[in-house]
């Protein structure tokens, strides 16, 4: 049996709803992870499943969380105002308090630590802005889950860098948006990577500063993911890379299409599980 099995949940803001559908399909197939590793919105989804349970009840909880997120303005779309405010203010960012309150209201208490999780290991990925290295919450199971979440989702300009033990931490997606190597570092021998990043655009040159920066980010994330996958394969790790985002562009902050994206992720994953690549994984999990 090719174990331990890690589910790697990448970052992508509102596109994380695709992972909800994917996780539902994996629960239906009876495939359970030994390790959950998440970056940014992937860290949020991984935490929800680790706390609620990797079963149909856990999926129902995750869906409700996303429906609540759809009805809350967690990330504003006014990026110009955000950048200006970040330059003129030293506050942690306008979305910090909103997100922290959201996590608190959905069962992540300040006292809860990684040692409280049962049945699966959870690793949340942030990034040290000074060294460019990933920082893994959960290696020390005495660390607070809420602290790890807030560091993993600290994406400027919405949330400014978080200070922790003398380090400045930001969204883990800036150094490992699809955290395959962090999973390898935690002992994974087989990895199912749920990738919600947008593929680099091959269309005409982006007009304007923000579209251009978006295209740069897409290119960097795609290259990072490819490098991590190649490095894992070179070490003999089995990597199933499931690219979930195949539709029209979805902005990080646009949570209006949650229901549509959940369905898309569900059917995309069901289709993948029918292919030969995933049959061994299903058999090893007792689902076939």
């Amino acid at each position: 049996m090719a174990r331990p099995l890690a589910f790697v949940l990448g970052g992508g803001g509102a596109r994380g709803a695709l992972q909800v559908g994917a996780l539902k399909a994996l629960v239906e197939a009876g495939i359970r992870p030994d390790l959950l590793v998440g970056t940014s919105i992937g860290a949020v989804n991984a935490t929800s499943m680790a706390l609620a349970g990797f079963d149909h009840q856990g999926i129902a909880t995750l869906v409700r969380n996303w429906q609540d997120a759809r009805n809350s303005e967690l990330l504003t779309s006014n990026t110009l105002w955000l950048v200006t405010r970040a330059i003129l203010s030293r506050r942690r960012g306008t979305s910090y308090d909103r997100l922290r309150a959201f996590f608190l209201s959905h069962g992540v208490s300040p006292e809860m630590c990684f040692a409280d999780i049962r049945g699966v290991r959870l690793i949340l990925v942030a990034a040290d802005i000074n060294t460019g290295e990933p920082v893994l919450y959960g290696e020390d199971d005495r660390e607070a889950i809420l602290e790890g979440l807030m560091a993993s989702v600290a994406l400027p300009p919405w949330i400014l860098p978080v200070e922790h033990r003398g380090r400045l931490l930001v969204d883990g997606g800036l150094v490992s948006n699809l955290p395959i190597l962090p999973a390898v570092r935690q002992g994974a021998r087989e990895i199912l990577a749920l990738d919600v990043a947008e593929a680099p655009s091959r269309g005409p040159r982006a007009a304007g500063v923000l579209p251009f920066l978006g295209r740069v980010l897409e290119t960097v994330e795609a290259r990072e993911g490819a490098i991590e996958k190649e490095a894992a394969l070179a070490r003999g790790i089995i990597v199933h890379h499931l690219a979930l985002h195949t539709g029209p562009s979805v902005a990080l902050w646009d949570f209006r299409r949650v229901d549509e994206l959940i369905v898309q992720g569900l059917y995309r994953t069901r289709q993948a599980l029918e292919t030969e690549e995933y049959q061994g994984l299903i058999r090893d999990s007792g689902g076939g």
Side-chain angles (χ1 to χ4, degrees):
M1 183 177 294
R3 296 283 172 165
L5 171 65
F7 285 2
V8 165
L9 282 66
R15 296 190 298 273
L18 292 157
Q19 291 172 350
V20 180
L23 291 165
K24 177 176 172 60
L26 294 169
V27 166
E28 291 174 346
I31 304 174
R32 294 177 56 90
D34 304 293
L35 173 66
L36 285 164
V37 182
T39 286
S40 195
I41 196 63
V44 179
N45 287 336
T47 299
S48 178
M49 293 301 294
L51 294 178
F54 206 84
D55 51 26
H56 294 288
Q57 182 176 342
I59 291 295
T61 298
L62 184 58
V63 170
R64 286 195 299 271
N65 291 348
W66 272 87
Q67 290 171 340
D68 289 345
R70 180 191 57 202
N71 298 327
S72 306
E73 191 180 357
L74 296 177
L75 301 177
T76 179
S77 60
N78 192 339
T79 51
L80 179 59
W81 177 80
L82 280 170
V83 171
T84 303
R85 186 180 178 89
I87 293 172
L88 298 178
S89 172
R90 293 186 177 182
R91 295 184 61 191
R92 291 173 294 193
T94 58
S95 295
Y96 181 94
D97 292 334
R98 288 180 189 171
L99 280 170
R100 190 175 189 277
F102 184 87
F103 295 148
L104 289 171
S105 67
H106 288 80
V108 186
S109 70
E111 300 80 17
M112 190 174 291
C113 64
F114 289 86
D116 296 322
I117 295 172
R118 297 289 182 267
V120 67
R121 287 188 63 214
L122 174 66
I123 297 291
L124 308 180
V125 183
D128 187 323
I129 197 170
N130 291 316
T131 66
E133 293 294 325
V135 175
L136 308 186
Y137 280 86
E139 287 187 309
D140 180 350
D141 64 9
R142 297 167 297 179
E143 291 180 313
I145 294 172
L146 182 59
E147 184 178 286
L149 267 179
M150 293 310 302
S152 187
V153 301
L155 179 63
W158 288 277
I159 300 177
L160 301 185
V162 175
E163 292 188 32
H164 176 63
R165 297 178 184 176
R167 297 181 296 189
L168 279 178
L169 305 183
V170 292
D171 189 298
L174 297 182
V175 296
S176 185
N177 196 57
L178 190 63
I180 292 172
L181 287 183
V184 173
R185 177 172 159 182
Q186 297 305 307
R189 297 299 302 169
E190 186 167 7
I191 292 171
L192 178 52
L194 303 181
D195 188 355
V196 296
E198 293 201 329
S201 175
R202 291 181 172 83
R205 181 175 62 86
V209 174
L210 290 179
F212 172 75
L213 292 177
R215 179 168 292 190
V216 170
L217 183 60
E218 292 167 8
T219 302
V220 170
E221 287 176 349
R223 185 57 187 148
E224 280 178 355
I227 290 172
E228 293 206 24
K229 180 179 178 180
E230 290 168 6
L233 292 172
R235 300 183 192 188
I237 311 298
I238 301 170
V239 180
H240 308 280
H241 180 199
L242 186 50
L244 294 171
H245 185 54
T246 58
S249 179
V250 178
L252 295 172
W253 55 83
D254 187 0
F255 286 77
R256 293 173 299 176
R257 294 170 54 191
V258 163
D259 293 335
E260 172 191 340
L261 293 174
I262 291 175
V263 171
Q264 181 182 327
L266 173 65
Y267 284 100
R268 173 77 180 91
T269 306
R270 282 176 175 171
Q271 290 175 340
L273 292 176
E274 292 176 356
T275 65
E276 183 62 30
E277 176 183 352
Y278 292 90
Q279 292 308 299
L281 185 60
I282 295 172
R283 287 192 297 270
D284 286 345
S285 301

